[in-house]
Amino acid sequence: MKQKMKNFYFLLFLEMLILLSGCSLYNNNDKSANTIRIGVALYTQDDTFISSIIQNLEKIAHQTENEDLKINITIMDGKFNQTKQMEQIDQLIRRGCNFLCVNIVDRTAASVLIDKAKEADIPVIFFNRQPVSEDIERWEKAYYVGSKAEEGGKLQGQIVLDAWLNNKNIYDKNNDNIIQYVMLEGEPSHQDTLLRTEYSVKTLTDNDIVVEKLASDNANWSKSQAVNKTSEWIKQFNNSIEVAFANNDDMALGAIDAFIDAGLDVPLIVGVDAIDDAIKSIKNGKLYGTVKNDAYGVADTMLNLILSLYNDEKIDLKLKDGHYLWLPYEIITIKNA
Ligand code: BGC
Ligand code: CA
C-alpha cells in the first residue's frame, strides 16, 4: 500500500476510536453496550469548587463501572459565555449523550436549555447554579442538585455570632459593641451571592447584634479580585474592619492575604465551601471558619440520580417537589477542621 493510503486508513481508524469514546455520534438509543453517556457543561472550568465536583464525579463514576456498565463523561467548558454553552449543549445532544449535567452560566437562561433537552428527551440535571423554579417546572425530567443558599448564609452568620459572643473582647476592636464588617460577594445574580450575603448578616441582627457595613462589593468568587478589594478597604478604613464575610473560601483566602500583605493581624474572616486550602488556613489559625459546601455530595447525588433514571427506578428517588435533591451545609471551625 502506498504511504498516503496507509496514512488515510490510520486516520480513519483514529476517527472511529474517537467516535466510540465519550458521547459518540448517532448512538442515542444504543443501550446494548450498557454505556451511560453523560455530557457535563460547566460555566467555567476555572473555579476551585466546580473543579472539585468534577474530580469527584469522575472518581465516583470510575468506581461505579463494572464489566456490564461503562460510564463515559464528556466535559465542556462554557468559559463564562452562555451563547457558547448553548452550542455545547447542542453538540452534546447531537453526540448522543443519555444525560446532561449543567452548571449553567446564566441562571436566567435555563428555559431555552430545558426545552432543548425536552425535545431530545434527555434528562437534564442542573447543579450549583440554580435555575428559577418556573423554569425547572417546565419539564418533569429537569432536576436540580445543590444546597440551599440561605442555609449557607445562616450557618456563616452562626459562626460569627458564636465567635463574637464568646470573645467580644478580642473581636470588637473599638469596643463599641457593634460589628464593623465588609462583605466580599460572588457573581452578582448567583443565588449563593444574594442569599448568603443576606442571611449571614440577618442571623446576627436576628440575635440582636448591631452591625455596621463598612463596604461590600462583588469579587466574583475570585481570590485575586478579593485581594484587590480588601487591600482598598484596608487603606480606606485604617484597620477598623472587625469581620470580613466572603461568599466563598477563595475570596476569604484573598482577604487574608490582603491583611497579611498590609502587615496587619487577620481579623475574623469566614468563607463557604471548605476547599482544601481553607481547611489548611483554619488549622494555621488564619481563616476563622467556613461552611462546607458538599462537592462530593453533589457528584455522588447526580450519579445516583442518573443511575436510578437509567435503571428506571424513579420511585426510589426522594425528590423534593418533583425536581430537587438538597444537600445539607455544615459548619467547619478549628473544632472539627
Ligand atoms: C461556591 C463558589 C463557586 C460558585 C460557582 C458557589 O456555590 O461557593 O465557590 O465559585 O458556586 O457557581
Ligand atoms: Ca466594633
Side-chain angles (χ1 to χ4, degrees), residues 164 171-180 240 242:
W164 183 259
Y171 298 117
D172 190 8
K173 292 190 207 171
N174 62 351
N175 286 313
D176 66 351
N177 208 22
I178 297 172
I179 300 184
Q180 276 77 26
S240 58
E242 294 174 341

Side-chain angles (χ1 to χ4, degrees), residues 39 48 50 69-70 116 135-136 162 181 235 238 248 313:
T48 316
I50 301 301
L69 182 70
K70 294 279 157 259
K116 280 180 192 292
D135 286 347
I136 283 280
D162 292 344
Y181 75 92
K235 281 187 201 124
N238 297 316
N248 79 344
E313 292 163 352

Side-chain angles (χ1 to χ4, degrees), residues 92-108:
L92 291 168
I93 293 175
R94 267 201 315 270
R95 289 203 202 170
C97 282
N98 315 112
F99 296 93
L100 291 169
C101 293
V102 182
N103 181 225
I104 196 163
V105 176
D106 173 2
R107 293 170 60 217
T108 63

Side-chain angles (χ1 to χ4, degrees), residues 30 113 139 156 195 221 275 288 299 306:
D30 174 18
L113 207 154
W139 188 35
Q156 202 184 36
L195 296 172
W221 311 119
I275 57 172
Y288 186 83
I306 287 173

Side-chain angles (χ1 to χ4, degrees), residues 79-322:
K79 298 191 192 281
F80 304 96
N81 182 332
Q82 190 57 62
T83 313
K84 187 184 190 76
Q85 188 174 58
M86 287 302 186
E87 288 163 15
Q88 294 175 336
I89 296 290
D90 288 337
Q91 228 176 315
L92 291 168
I93 293 175
R94 267 201 315 270
R95 289 203 202 170
C97 282
N98 315 112
F99 296 93
L100 291 169
C101 293
V102 182
N103 181 225
I104 196 163
V105 176
D106 173 2
R107 293 170 60 217
T108 63
S111 64
V112 182
L113 207 154
I114 292 170
D115 290 349
K116 280 180 192 292
K118 184 175 176 182
E119 207 185 292
D121 196 27
I122 301 172
V124 55
I125 304 167
F126 292 89
F127 65 100
N128 168 263
R129 302 166 75 89
Q130 187 186 344
V132 293
S133 56
E134 296 80 65
D135 286 347
I136 283 280
E137 282 156 17
R138 287 174 90 86
W139 188 35
E140 79 264 17
K141 292 182 193 167
Y143 307 93
Y144 179 71
V145 173
S147 300
K148 289 189 174 158
E150 72 174 65
E151 193 192 319
K154 281 184 190 163
L155 294 182
Q156 202 184 36
Q158 188 66 45
I159 299 175
V160 174
L161 178 68
D162 292 344
W164 183 259
L165 293 179
N166 291 326
N167 284 304
K168 201 184 292 171
N169 55 326
I170 303 175
Y171 298 117
D172 190 8
K173 292 190 207 171
N174 62 351
N175 286 313
D176 66 351
N177 208 22
I178 297 172
I179 300 184
Q180 276 77 26
Y181 75 92
V182 294
M183 178 76 69
L184 287 160
E185 302 187 17
E187 295 158 280
S189 55
H190 196 300
Q191 81 278 352
D192 288 335
T193 300
L194 304 170
L195 296 172
R196 287 175 190 169
T197 299
E198 181 183 344
Y199 281 89
S200 51
V201 173
K202 192 171 180 302
T203 301
L204 294 171
T205 53
D206 281 354
N207 282 280
D208 301 322
I209 305 291
V210 185
V211 298
E212 182 190 350
K213 180 165 89 180
L214 298 178
S216 70
D217 209 344
N218 298 97
N220 303 305
W221 311 119
S222 141
K223 185 172 180 180
S224 59
Q225 289 186 42
V227 174
N228 294 339
K229 286 276 165 257
T230 311
S231 302
E232 280 169 32
W233 293 337
I234 289 173
K235 281 187 201 124
Q236 199 176 340
F237 302 110
N238 297 316
N239 203 21
S240 58
I241 300 168
E242 294 174 341
V243 171
F245 288 97
N247 286 165
N248 79 344
D249 285 344
D250 269 334
M251 295 189 293
L253 296 172
I256 289 172
D257 284 357
F259 279 95
I260 294 174
D261 291 350
L264 298 173
D265 286 341
V266 177
L268 206 167
I269 297 182
V270 283
V272 176
D273 283 341
I275 57 172
D276 293 346
D277 284 350
I279 302 295
K280 272 184 213 144
S281 181
I282 291 176
K283 288 182 177 163
N284 292 335
K286 296 282 185 276
L287 181 65
Y288 186 83
T290 185
V291 179
K292 184 176 162 195
N293 198 4
D294 194 354
Y296 179 91
V298 171
D300 192 46
T301 305
M302 287 201 291
L303 213 59
N304 280 333
L305 175 56
I306 287 173
L307 289 172
S308 311
L309 295 171
Y310 185 76
N311 296 321
D312 242 342
E313 292 163 352
K314 209 174 163 186
I315 314 103
D316 296 346
L317 291 172
K318 294 188 179 67
L319 289 168
K320 293 277 169 326
D321 304 320

